[in-house]
């Protein structure tokens, strides 16, 4: 809203009003305000929750060999994150921007879905929370809405990058003059690295473009659901999910900025996406909210984000990557979330497979994978055999595990960014 006010004042040469035209100025203001709101509102929220004795259902103390108490800690801290994102975005963003609208809708939609889950856990005293099928329906629905909007909206266009050979045989990157609806996406580590979904569906003949858009919508649904669930599984230790998500947010912000700048897009040989600079504003709010939330969520946590936060965080990351056509980079960028989800799938499916053969065999000591690093031998199921029983050879404190996961996320984020040049 302030963006439109100061752009109006700029017509009358009001000093300083022209600054609001710069995406860097608005993005940094958004980051600072988001961080401040998160820190200030977080304190008020925690005190309010404690006065009303609204706490997380007590976590199983047997998972932590170091005896860290998890009782009496307020949850639903995702509300802090959502408020800290939305207020700065509404103040400093261009609200009419389609991409920004999609990000706001995603935040509210998945925030409400996570809130329902936390509400059932706390007030209904049901540790299972919202049934899994309803979560999936909610995640698939927002993925479908985002995918369909990106397909049908006339405002969602790109200028595709092409390699042009000059007379001196030098190859330069140029962008097509016309912005068009595009099914191209970026493939990492490959020269001439654009993949067109319609080409994948070439066997459909004259319907290949329509089929390509169906594939795009399906991938959007899959990305939003997978990353949202991955973030949800990663939220198991103090500061773990918030720290990892802040790092991912920085990488996405960089990718969004270079995608929205014609000069940088040419330099990195990627598609130029007009008007996607508003995504940088949103992601700066996201980063500020994560860092501010860490003020209270770092070990020992004063508040848990709950599903209100973790489901929302994953959805935001997934939709942002889809918008800038970098969804195929998600397995690298969100490698931590991917491994967390994969560990759970491997553990459950292998156990079921071996159980049908009359054996109780597990792969890891515990899943998601971060729990594997703090599980004691004395806490293992004596009736089961563990394939990776001696990995690791000793348990670690959760703060050490968290920091090491952050370091891994930094490496993955750096690798994601340099894939733009590693071809």
């Amino acid at each position: 809203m302030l963006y439109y006010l100061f752009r109006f004042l700029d017509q009358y040469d009001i000093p300083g009003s022209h600054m609001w035209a710069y995406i860097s100025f608005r993005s940094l203001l958004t980051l600072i305000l988001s961080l401040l709101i998160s820190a200030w509102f977080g304190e008020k929220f925690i005190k309010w929750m404690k006065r009303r004795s609204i706490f997380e259902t007590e976590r199983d103390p047997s998972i932590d060999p170091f005896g860290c108490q998890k009782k009496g800690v307020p949850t639903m801290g995702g509300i802090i994150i959502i408020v800290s994102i939305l207020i700065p975005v509404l103040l400093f963003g261009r609200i009419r921007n389609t991409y920004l609208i999609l990000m706001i809708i995603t935040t509210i939609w998945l925030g409400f879905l996570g809130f329902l889950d936390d509400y059932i856990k706390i007030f209904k005293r049901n540790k299972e929370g919202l049934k899994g099928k309803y979560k999936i329906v909610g995640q698939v629905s927002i993925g479908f809405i985002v995918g369909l909007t990106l397909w049908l909206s006339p405002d969602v266009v790109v200028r595709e990058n092409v390699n042009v050979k000059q007379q001196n045989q030098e190859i330069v990157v140029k962008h097509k003059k016309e912005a068009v609806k595009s099914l191209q996406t970026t493939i990492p580590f490959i020269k001439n690295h654009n993949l067109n979904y319609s080409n994948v569906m070439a066997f459909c003949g004259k319907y290949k473009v329509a089929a390509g858009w169906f594939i795009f919508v399906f991938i959007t649904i899959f990305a939003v659901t997978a990353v949202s669930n991955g973030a949800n599984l990663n939220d198991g230790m103090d500061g773990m999910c918030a720290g990892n998500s802040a790092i991912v947010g920085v990488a996405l912000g960089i990718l969004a900025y270079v995608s929205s700048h014609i000069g940088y897009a040419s330099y990195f040989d990627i598609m130029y996406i007009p008007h996607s600079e508003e995504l940088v504003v949103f992601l700066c709010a996201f980063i500020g909210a994560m860092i501010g939330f860490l003020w209270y969520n770092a070990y020992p946590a004063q508040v848990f984000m709950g599903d209100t936060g973790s489901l929302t965080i994953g959805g935001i990351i997934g939709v942002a990557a889809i918008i800038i056509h970098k969804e195929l980079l998600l397995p690298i960028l969100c490698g931590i979330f991917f491994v967390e989800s994969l560990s759970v799938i491997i553990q459950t499916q292998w156990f079921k497979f071996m159980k049908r053969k009359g054996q109780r065999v597990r792969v890891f000591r515990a899943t998601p994978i971060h729990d594997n690093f703090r599980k004691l031998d004395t806490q293992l199921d004596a009736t089961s055999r563990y394939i990776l029983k001696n990995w690791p050879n000793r348990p670690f404190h959760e703060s050490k595990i968290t920091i090491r996961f952050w370091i891994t996320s930094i490496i993955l984020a750096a690798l994601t960014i340099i894939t733009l040049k590693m071809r």
Side-chain angles (χ1 to χ4, degrees):
M1 291 181 285
L2 290 179
Y3 167 81
Y4 294 104
L5 172 63
F6 281 97
R7 293 297 287 164
F8 172 76
L9 294 176
D10 190 35
Q11 300 176 20
Y12 301 96
D13 297 324
I14 303 297
S17 57
H18 69 283
M19 293 291 293
W20 292 79
Y22 296 103
I23 193 67
S24 55
F25 176 75
R26 291 192 289 122
S27 297
L28 290 175
L29 275 184
T30 303
L31 188 149
I32 294 169
L33 181 59
S34 176
L35 199 158
L36 292 176
I37 292 174
S38 185
W40 174 81
F41 178 62
E43 181 181 7
K44 304 294 181 184
F45 179 83
I46 292 168
K47 288 180 179 178
W48 187 86
M49 295 287 277
K50 284 186 173 180
R51 283 198 302 268
R52 286 157 180 77
S53 300
I54 304 175
F55 302 127
E56 167 76 276
T57 52
E58 186 178 356
R59 297 187 180 184
D60 184 3
S62 66
I63 356 179
D64 190 355
F66 299 94
C68 178
Q69 295 296 320
K70 298 291 184 180
K71 189 175 182 180
V73 179
T75 187
M76 289 188 179
I79 294 174
I80 301 171
I81 296 170
I82 293 170
V83 170
S84 303
I85 291 174
L86 293 181
I87 291 177
V89 165
L90 292 174
L91 285 175
F92 301 139
R94 293 175 58 189
I95 309 302
R96 297 174 186 173
N97 183 278
T98 303
Y99 300 128
L100 200 61
I101 292 172
L102 284 176
M103 296 305 296
I104 292 171
I105 291 173
T106 299
T107 303
I108 295 173
W109 186 294
L110 291 176
F112 180 71
L113 184 69
F115 175 82
L116 288 178
D117 186 67
D118 289 334
Y119 181 87
I120 293 171
K121 288 178 181 176
I122 296 170
F123 295 100
K124 303 297 182 181
R125 301 296 176 184
N126 181 355
K127 287 188 178 183
E128 298 299 320
L130 189 67
K131 289 184 178 180
K133 62 181 180 181
Y134 296 129
K135 286 185 186 179
I136 295 296
V137 168
Q139 292 165 328
V140 168
S141 297
I142 188 61
F144 179 75
I145 291 171
V146 170
L148 203 63
T149 302
L150 294 176
W151 177 4
L152 301 177
S153 173
D155 298 325
V156 178
V157 291
V158 305
R159 286 174 59 183
E160 296 176 345
N161 52 310
V162 292
N163 293 329
V164 179
K165 184 178 288 188
Q166 305 281 43
Q167 291 182 348
N168 60 1
Q169 302 301 310
E170 181 184 356
I171 296 177
V172 297
V173 178
K174 292 189 176 181
H175 288 87
K176 295 179 179 179
K177 292 183 178 180
E178 291 187 7
V180 296
K181 304 291 291 184
S182 177
L183 279 167
Q184 288 193 2
T185 189
T186 301
I187 309 176
F189 305 116
I190 297 177
K191 192 174 182 179
N192 301 324
H193 58 297
N194 285 347
L195 170 71
N196 195 312
Y197 291 128
S198 63
N199 292 338
V200 175
M201 304 302 292
F203 62 89
C204 294
K206 63 180 181 179
Y207 301 107
K208 68 176 184 178
V209 174
W213 280 110
F214 278 112
I215 291 294
F216 172 79
V217 173
F218 172 80
I219 289 175
T220 301
I221 292 170
F222 179 78
V224 172
T225 304
V227 181
S228 183
N229 285 324
N232 186 237
L233 290 171
N234 187 233
D235 180 33
M237 293 185 180
D238 298 348
M240 173 79 80
C241 186
N244 289 326
S245 300
I247 294 164
V248 172
V250 171
L252 279 175
I254 294 171
L255 293 173
Y257 183 74
V258 298
S259 297
S260 66
H261 190 288
I262 187 72
Y264 289 127
S266 295
Y267 177 75
F268 287 110
D269 192 8
I270 58 176
M271 289 168 280
Y272 167 56
I273 307 173
H275 313 304
S276 63
E277 65 273 5
E278 293 306 312
L279 201 58
V280 182
V281 174
F282 187 95
L283 288 169
C284 280
F286 176 79
I287 296 164
M290 292 295 102
I291 297 173
F293 183 72
L294 271 175
W295 187 270
Y296 302 105
N297 186 239
Y299 182 87
Q302 297 170 257
V303 64
F304 299 134
M305 68 169 62
D307 282 16
T308 307
S310 59
L311 291 180
T312 306
I313 286 170
I316 287 171
I317 292 170
V319 173
I322 288 286
I323 287 174
I324 58 175
H325 296 252
K326 300 294 181 288
E327 63 271 18
L328 298 186
L329 293 176
L330 282 174
I332 303 173
L333 179 59
C334 299
I336 291 293
F337 297 163
F338 176 72
V339 171
E340 294 273 36
S341 300
L342 191 62
S343 68
V344 173
I345 294 170
I346 291 173
Q347 184 86 320
T348 54
Q349 295 305 313
W350 185 256
F351 183 78
K352 289 178 181 178
F353 174 73
M354 295 304 293
K355 193 174 181 180
R356 288 196 294 268
K357 295 187 174 184
Q359 302 178 48
R360 295 175 60 86
V361 182
R362 304 178 193 271
V363 178
F364 306 102
R365 296 182 179 196
T367 54
I369 196 67
H370 61 256
D371 281 333
N372 182 74
F373 297 104
R374 64 175 174 182
K375 194 84 167 179
L376 287 171
D377 289 343
T378 54
Q379 298 170 325
L380 301 180
D381 181 7
T383 64
S384 297
R385 181 167 62 87
Y386 294 83
I387 296 176
L388 298 177
K389 184 177 181 179
N390 297 322
W391 180 70
N393 55 10
R394 63 184 177 87
F396 297 97
H397 194 278
E398 74 170 83
S399 59
K400 181 177 284 291
I401 298 170
T402 297
I403 295 297
R404 288 184 175 180
F405 272 54
W406 288 356
I407 293 170
T408 305
S409 285
I410 291 171
I411 295 170
L412 293 172
L415 181 61
T416 300
I417 294 169
I418 63 176
T419 56
L420 297 178
K421 297 303 290 181
M422 290 174 59
R423 299 195 293 274

